[in-house]
Amino acid sequence: MDSKGDELEVPKAVVSRLIKSAIPDTFVAVQAEAKQALTTAAKIFILYATACANDICKAENKSTIMPEHVFKAMEELEFDFGDKLKEALEAHRKDQTQKKVRRTDEIVSPGSASKETPKPQETSTAAAPDGKEEAEKDDEPADEDEEVDIVDDD
């Protein structure tokens, strides 16, 4: 198959997992050719459903396909699983919200030194050998006559 055709392939591992979840191993074996046929059917279904949703989107003068366009496409294609599709979308949204909350909690949680933002460096004052006080600060420009050691951290 050419490289452009490979871009449009449904991952075989995903198809295998879907088959295993639908048919227990002890019930029936699935030949490699049957898996390939299901993979091709899934690809065609996705392309067809996307084209239909795109037509609905264009008819509404929208530039982005939204879930509602996909729901309408499924109705138009006479697939009667709109409610299951809506439930799956809601479950996905809840899952994404929970993941976002967990990530936020991990960042904000106390005692997590690696997640805390570093404190800004304070300017300290030290006495120079000649008795004058000078400020020590890393990002302060050096005087022209002063020697500066450059340290490479790599």
Side-chain angles (χ1 to χ4, degrees):
M1 203 181 273
D2 63 294
S3 64
K4 198 164 197 162
D6 290 341
E7 290 176 11
L8 299 176
E9 280 299 316
V10 178
K12 290 180 176 108
V14 172
V15 174
S16 292
R17 276 189 301 225
L18 288 169
I19 292 170
K20 284 181 182 180
S21 70
I23 303 170
D25 288 335
T26 57
F27 183 69
V28 67
V30 181
Q31 285 186 337
E33 290 177 355
K35 287 182 185 179
Q36 182 58 44
L38 288 167
T39 301
T40 303
K43 177 177 104 172
I44 292 168
F45 174 76
I46 292 168
L47 292 172
Y48 190 55
T50 303
C52 187
N54 186 46
D55 291 344
I56 293 168
C57 184
K58 283 182 179 179
E60 294 178 3
N61 293 322
K62 304 286 183 179
S63 60
T64 304
I65 297 174
M66 301 296 290
E68 295 75 31
H69 300 129
V70 176
F71 299 147
K72 287 180 185 177
M74 292 298 108
E75 287 175 17
E76 200 170 287
L77 296 172
E78 297 181 5
F79 284 99
D80 190 28
F81 52 78
D83 291 337
K84 288 183 182 180
L85 192 58
K86 289 175 185 176
E87 289 172 11
L89 177 63
E90 281 303 312
H92 173 73
R93 286 178 175 165
K94 285 180 184 177
D95 185 48
Q96 293 300 311
T97 302
Q98 289 173 350
K99 284 181 182 178
K100 189 175 182 179
V101 167
R102 275 183 272 171
R103 281 191 301 250
T104 304
D105 288 346
E106 288 174 3
I107 292 172
V108 176
S109 67
S112 175
S114 63
K115 305 279 184 192
E116 292 179 7
T117 55
K119 293 181 181 177
Q121 224 177 13
E122 295 180 18
T123 305
S124 63
T125 312
D130 60 358
K132 295 181 184 176
E133 290 185 357
E134 58 182 28
E136 294 176 335
K137 190 174 178 184
D138 289 337
D139 57 343
E140 191 173 65
D143 293 335
E144 289 179 6
D145 298 332
E146 187 178 350
E147 280 189 29
V148 177
D149 291 332
I150 299 175
V151 177
D152 189 10
D153 291 337
D154 294 341

